[in-house]
Amino acid sequence: MPEPIQGEDIVSFQAEMPLPLHQAMADFIERCPNWDQYRLVQAALAGFLVQNGVDSRELTRLYVGKMFRRDSLRQGV
């Protein structure tokens, strides 16, 4: 599991996922080794909330941080 940002609280949850969504996520992670399931889900949730009007500086920072990490830019994703 990735290390949390200092001072960040972590909440774990479990959710059922439709098979096509799971397969697409697995295929993406296989093609982009700098991504893992945790980063992908965090970026997706944060992005959805930001794009749908949740006004939170911390959430925006999380979204941008997950989407545009240095290692992902070097690999093109």
Side-chain angles (χ1 to χ4, degrees), residues 4-42:
I5 298 169
Q6 189 173 15
E8 181 179 46
D9 292 327
I10 300 294
V11 175
S12 184
F13 71 94
Q14 184 175 350
E16 292 185 15
M17 182 181 298
L19 186 58
L21 182 58
H22 181 267
Q23 188 60 54
M25 184 174 83
D27 292 345
F28 177 82
I29 291 168
E30 186 174 316
R31 286 191 323 269
C32 305
N34 293 325
W35 284 80
D36 61 25
Q37 65 185 359
Y38 305 105
R39 179 180 173 196
L40 181 58
V41 169
Q42 289 174 16

Side-chain angles (χ1 to χ4, degrees), residues 3 21 43 62 74:
E3 290 185 34
L21 182 58
L62 176 67
R74 281 184 262 147

Side-chain angles (χ1 to χ4, degrees), residues 31-74:
R31 286 191 323 269
C32 305
N34 293 325
W35 284 80
D36 61 25
Q37 65 185 359
Y38 305 105
R39 179 180 173 196
L40 181 58
V41 169
Q42 289 174 16
L45 287 172
F48 175 84
L49 293 170
V50 167
Q51 292 173 11
N52 285 283
V54 175
D55 187 21
S56 165
R57 183 179 211 100
E58 292 82 12
L59 195 57
T60 301
R61 186 177 297 127
L62 176 67
Y63 174 63
V64 171
K66 295 295 180 187
M67 290 298 298
F68 302 107
R69 283 188 355 196
R70 278 183 112 72
D71 61 347
S72 65
L73 294 176
R74 281 184 262 147

